[in-house]
Amino acid sequence: QVQLVESGGGLVQAGGSLRLSCAASGRTFSTYAMGWARQAPGKEREFVEAVNWSGANTYYADSVKGRFTISREAAKNAVYLQMNGLKPDDTAVYYCAVINNWPDGFGSWGRGTQVTVSS
């Protein structure tokens, strides 16, 4: 199990952008598939995006396709979520996670970072 810490959340107006970062510990970070999920108040946690161990393969939820982009930098033990064209429905706590079963089988989680999109 790796330790994951999310950052970069905040308050933004509809149509704005944010970039979330996930710092992961461990020398073997580059061997893990990684992903992002989110959870809004009163709702279940849902899959957002995933990237495989090499960074060459990605998977997107329909709700964010064309707006959100996942990427990773193994040398920095970091995973990113670039969010453009944000909508109020994107308001949620966003979590970085290790993926045990591609593409949406999540394992270890961080504590999350809050994203609030105002209308």
Side-chain angles (χ1 to χ4, degrees):
Q1 182 174 331
V2 299
Q3 293 290 105
L4 305 172
V5 180
E6 300 93 339
S7 63
L11 176 64
V12 64
Q13 292 184 335
S17 298
L18 285 172
R19 190 176 83 155
L20 306 184
S21 298
C22 173
S25 65
R27 182 183 297 178
T28 61
F29 169 77
S30 63
T31 68
Y32 293 97
M34 302 293 295
W36 290 91
R38 65 187 182 184
Q39 187 169 26
K43 297 183 179 180
E44 294 184 351
R45 193 171 299 182
E46 63 178 353
F47 169 82
V48 177
E49 293 195 31
V51 60
N52 76 337
W53 64 270
S54 70
N57 195 23
T58 57
Y59 188 86
Y60 301 85
D62 289 341
S63 61
V64 305
K65 188 175 183 179
R67 298 189 298 120
F68 293 7
T69 302
I70 190 170
S71 62
R72 68 191 303 168
E73 293 185 82
K76 297 181 179 180
N77 287 340
V79 180
Y80 306 100
L81 185 67
Q82 179 66 48
M83 306 185 294
N84 299 324
L86 284 163
K87 305 174 181 179
D89 285 348
D90 295 320
T91 296
V93 177
Y94 283 72
Y95 299 89
C96 176
V98 174
I99 293 178
N100 294 331
N101 299 296
W102 182 262
D104 59 355
F106 293 102
S108 300
W109 301 90
R111 290 187 176 273
T113 184
Q114 177 71 48
V115 172
T116 302
V117 184
S118 63
S119 60

